[in-house]
Amino acid sequence: MRMSKLVGRQVKETPKDAQTVSHRFLLRGGYIRSVSAGIYTLLPLGRRVVSKVEAIIREEMDRVDGQEMLMPVVLPGELWEESGRYDTVGDELLRFQDRNEKAMVLGMTHEEAVVHMARTELSSYKQLPAMVYQVQTKYRDEARPRAGLIRVREFTMKDGYSFHANSECLEAYYERCHDAYVSIFQRIGMKDVQVIQADPGMMGGNVSHEFMAVAECGEDTIFLSPDRSYRSNRDVATTGLTFVQEGALPLEKVHTPGKTSIEDVAAFLDATPEQTGKAVFYTTGNDELVFVVIRGDLEVNETKLRNHLKESELRLATDREIEDIGSVPGYASPLGVAAEKVQLVFDRSARHSSNLIVGANEVDYHYRNFNFERDLAELAESVEIVDIATARAGDPCPLTGEPLEITRGIEVGNIFQLGTKYSAAMGATFLDPNGKRAPLIMGCYGIGIGRAMAAVIEQSHDQYGPIWPMSIAPYQVHICALNYKKEAVRTVADLLYAELHASGFEVLLDDRGEKAGFSFADADLIGIPLRLIISPKTIANGEAEFKRRGSEGKDMVALDAVVERLKAELARES
RNA sequence: CGGGGCGUAGCGCAGCCUGGUAGCGCGACUGCUUUGGGAGCAGUAGGUCGGAGGUUCGAAUCCUCUCGCCCCGACCA
């Protein structure tokens, strides 16, 4: 490609709307342009990078027996009603009506569509397992798009769906897909991708993993053990915390005037927050009250609680609601709680700690020395004890006991063992060898392609621009022809350009005749890995200067050795 | 959806407080010179000041409403 004809200019000044590194460089390098909040046009350079990412993904998906297909972006609402998600998914699902006032949606993921296909195409165990995938536009009406391609409304995703006759088959295939993902992210040049346990969320299912590109600007918080053997999303992270267990002291009611917060009570009674039990009330979507007890220094993790209760809606209860069940806000107590009016949930921290300070369910009073075993013996059967605490940096790792570290990550891929959630709801069944009908067992596998491109830049750049891995660079070689308007330079540059083309290289030729600094700065901003500089000086010696993007060194190469040299450089990459 | 910020030429901004009919840098176009880290000179084109309403003799500037964009948070396969 000749740069004089390349659509998409490089911009010197940083657009004020761009904050993150990848956003700035994608904009400035002429890779993308914003059309509306979270909606982008891919310029030719950006399209080339994305095509390469897609090609690698296709190869790896085909290698695990995936079959590429293509489903529609616009889907009938009734399909989403069948799965139940028409109502359960929030406003991210863009709903609209067609001219006949029929409810339609823009696909934000394609479980419904793929099950619609599967229930007519997959009817026998002999066809299983099967995996189909597509590279397709998704639309999610995000409340707040941000950070360029990291969080957008319209985006391209590779989504794959597997179908199995039994869960062993799903689990085995899930592993294969996991490995394919590891290899995809390696091949597109990501330097640090952590596979972590995740919360399946609205997708449903039990097992799910997220592929996180470690980056400062990431939106997700990841917990890691120092040796990386434990890796988890904040939503599911657990800890190896131990709890103080000593002999139970006598229960003692104490006057604590006006002390309603954990900090105040602890300070007033000369104790630490770890020696207290905190009462937190939630209200479910059905207006039922949940009474959570957790050690005072810990915070409730609402995602864990939501999963435990199998409630999609959960909010903090109002004082009024707390009073309605006979509890006293600020002094609520597990002791004497109206167990028939409220679901009592004990975090393991409160269950396994002894002699806690808890509310007395009476204004201005607390109890010392609450012990679950002794004081709630009669409820021991009915009270659920679970881990619903938010993990903290520095908490012991559940596997190694080492302090957990926290880092930020960009979710570039995720995989789920869906099970039969969609197939059962939508009647996608197959006949097993005994002629028995059963719902298909499913897995699904996604990669955000634009996001992956942005994540690579986050992990591979310098102050001047991206440093593309060879595997996804828009071009492999960038020729800066200085003084291109001089015939001698033009002749050599054009010849080299043609020669490299003939040898199979992807080449960008800067034939604009700009000043050296201008040309170099644009080359840095584009970030192509191999650079050749041709100028009156170099051709006088029959040479070109070779430089690798992102490294300091440069050297002179004889013009007739250039192809060979570049081939060697290319080989070094793979 | 809560909080904050910003909308003036393709991009980055000044002007607004204290109303008087729009400017700077970069970019674009033409010509000449220049050519190894974002060149110089001369010239040209380009803006209903996000939109609507109001106050005023007069509004980019003051008031009201509205739309859009960015950031933080909530939310988020």
Side-chain angles (χ1 to χ4, degrees):
Chain A
M1 182 70 209
R2 289 175 176 271
M3 240 173 124
S4 58
K5 300 292 182 202
L6 180 66
V7 174
R9 68 172 75 252
Q10 284 62 53
V11 316
K12 192 186 299 187
E13 284 165 307
T14 300
K16 64 166 179 176
D17 287 350
Q19 305 290 322
T20 55
V21 170
S22 59
H23 191 193
R24 283 206 302 266
F25 286 149
L26 286 170
L27 239 28
R28 293 187 55 206
Y31 286 90
I32 63 172
R33 288 292 178 258
S34 159
V35 175
S36 182
I39 298 181
Y40 289 87
T41 289
L42 274 184
L43 294 171
L45 285 176
R47 176 65 238 184
R48 288 185 71 93
V49 173
V50 162
S51 297
K52 292 192 171 185
V53 173
E54 290 175 0
I56 290 172
I57 291 174
R58 286 192 169 97
E59 273 182 42
E60 295 292 335
M61 288 296 100
D62 291 347
R63 190 171 294 175
V64 292
D65 306 321
Q67 304 176 50
E68 184 167 5
M69 62 183 294
L70 190 60
M71 292 179 270
V73 177
V74 176
L75 298 165
E78 61 197 16
L79 218 46
W80 283 63
E81 275 164 11
E82 281 188 56
S83 72
R85 286 205 294 186
Y86 191 77
D87 297 315
T88 57
V89 173
D91 291 334
E92 314 90 73
L93 179 63
L94 186 61
R95 294 157 236 246
F96 62 99
Q97 294 187 334
D98 68 10
R99 64 198 300 161
N100 299 317
E101 296 181 5
K102 178 179 169 170
M104 307 294 280
V105 305
L106 286 189
M108 53 189 284
T109 173
H110 279 77
E111 283 73 22
E112 284 80 1
V114 82
V115 169
H116 175 265
M117 179 280 296
R119 64 187 169 192
T120 56
E121 303 307 320
L122 298 175
S123 49
S124 159
Y125 74 95
K126 292 176 192 166
Q127 296 172 290
L128 304 177
M131 197 275 255
V132 290
Y133 72 95
Q134 64 175 349
V135 176
Q136 208 353 351
T137 299
K138 300 281 184 277
Y139 187 88
R140 288 183 195 176
D141 217 18
E142 293 286 353
R144 184 156 98 79
R146 71 187 102 181
L149 294 192
I150 307 280
R151 183 169 204 78
V152 289
R153 286 148 78 195
E154 191 194 280
F155 59 104
T156 303
M157 174 179 230
K158 187 288 295 180
D159 48 327
Y161 306 88
S162 69
F163 300 90
H164 309 268
N166 58 63
S167 49
E168 294 73 35
C169 178
L170 167 63
E171 284 159 26
Y173 186 78
Y174 185 85
E175 281 308 311
R176 283 183 74 196
C177 225
H178 170 282
D179 295 348
Y181 268 41
V182 169
S183 139
I184 286 167
F185 293 121
Q186 255 169 21
R187 288 183 61 191
I188 69 177
M190 273 188 204
K191 293 174 177 166
D192 190 358
V193 176
Q194 297 291 329
V195 189
I196 67 172
Q197 290 179 28
D199 170 42
M202 83 166 195
M203 295 296 286
N206 298 316
V207 177
S208 128
H209 287 85
E210 290 174 340
F211 290 74
M212 298 297 232
V214 173
E216 205 40 54
C217 73
E219 298 184 284
D220 296 282
T221 303
I222 312 168
F223 286 80
L224 298 166
S225 60
D227 66 358
R228 303 280 142 115
S229 62
Y230 182 77
R231 305 176 299 271
S232 180
N233 186 305
R234 158 177 258 154
D235 293 338
V236 296
T238 185
T239 66
L241 277 179
T242 53
F243 308 105
V244 177
Q245 296 267 29
E246 36 194 37
L249 299 171
L251 202 60
E252 180 192 344
K253 192 169 179 179
V254 289
H255 191 51
T256 51
K259 308 299 179 194
T260 57
S261 75
I262 290 296
E263 289 71 29
D264 287 352
V265 172
F268 184 74
L269 295 177
D270 200 22
T272 62
E274 286 82 357
Q275 293 168 288
T276 69
K278 177 157 58 183
V280 191
F281 290 87
Y282 288 92
T283 303
T284 69
N286 303 326
D287 286 334
E288 284 161 3
L289 225 56
V290 180
F291 183 172
V292 177
V293 186
I294 188 167
R295 203 175 73 181
D297 60 310
L298 297 169
E299 296 296 329
V300 173
N301 180 325
E302 289 188 24
T303 304
K304 283 190 193 176
L305 181 60
R306 205 171 276 138
N307 287 342
H308 167 68
L309 297 171
K310 298 185 172 36
E311 283 285 344
S312 58
E313 281 181 61
L314 207 60
R315 61 173 172 82
L316 283 171
T318 62
D319 283 358
R320 177 65 189 277
E321 289 167 328
I322 297 171
E323 285 158 6
D324 281 350
I325 58 137
S327 282
V328 182
Y331 301 91
S333 178
L335 281 173
V337 68
E340 68 286 357
K341 291 184 184 164
V342 65
Q343 185 174 358
L344 198 52
V345 177
F346 258 73
D347 183 67
R348 56 189 182 140
S349 61
R351 160 67 179 77
H352 296 301
S353 297
S354 48
N355 301 324
L356 291 175
I357 295 164
V358 299
N361 210 31
E362 184 180 335
V363 174
D364 292 346
Y365 285 94
H366 280 79
Y367 282 116
R368 279 185 195 275
N369 304 327
F370 167 80
N371 289 275
F372 180 87
E373 296 288 346
R374 177 189 67 194
D375 301 323
L376 276 186
E378 74 282 6
L379 288 178
E381 292 291 303
S382 60
V383 172
E384 305 181 73
I385 293 155
V386 289
D387 171 18
I388 47 164
T390 303
R392 303 168 297 191
D395 280 348
C397 167
L399 300 180
T400 66
E402 296 288 301
L404 285 173
E405 295 168 3
I406 271 188
T407 184
R408 308 275 292 174
I410 301 165
E411 182 188 341
V412 289
N414 53 19
I415 55 180
F416 302 83
Q417 292 183 15
L418 293 178
T420 58
K421 170 173 170 167
Y422 297 92
S423 53
M426 298 178 67
T429 58
F430 69 101
L431 289 174
D432 72 13
N434 305 317
K436 264 186 64 183
R437 195 168 287 283
L440 290 159
I441 294 174
M442 296 175 58
C444 83
Y445 317 89
I447 293 178
I449 290 172
R451 191 182 266 193
M453 167 167 78
V456 168
I457 295 185
E458 293 292 339
Q459 293 187 348
S460 182
H461 66 272
D462 61 15
Q463 60 175 306
Y464 304 111
I467 302 173
W468 289 113
M470 187 68 77
S471 59
I472 64 168
Y475 293 89
Q476 297 163 332
V477 185
H478 190 142
I479 303 176
C480 292
L482 307 181
N483 278 296
Y484 184 78
K485 284 172 183 150
K486 287 191 177 155
E487 198 186 336
V489 172
R490 187 166 65 240
T491 307
V492 171
D494 286 355
L495 199 67
L496 199 56
Y497 178 60
E499 198 183 349
L500 286 168
H501 258 301
S503 304
F505 285 97
E506 301 169 77
V507 190
L508 185 63
L509 170 64
D510 188 349
D511 60 343
R512 299 172 301 175
E514 295 287 353
K515 304 264 294 183
F518 197 99
S519 177
F520 295 158
D522 280 354
D524 289 343
L525 207 42
I526 293 172
I528 291 169
L530 306 178
R531 186 180 308 172
L532 288 173
I533 300 153
I534 308 290
S535 75
K537 272 195 266 178
T538 69
I539 60 174
N541 301 323
E543 292 176 322
E545 181 181 309
F546 171 79
K547 185 181 187 313
R548 179 170 274 270
R549 176 76 180 94
S551 66
E552 285 302 309
K554 40 186 163 183
D555 56 314
M556 305 306 293
V557 182
L559 284 171
D560 55 14
V562 163
V563 170
E564 201 182 332
R565 172 64 184 276
L566 293 185
K567 278 184 176 165
E569 293 288 341
L570 208 57
R572 235 176 63 185
E573 290 289 322
S574 44

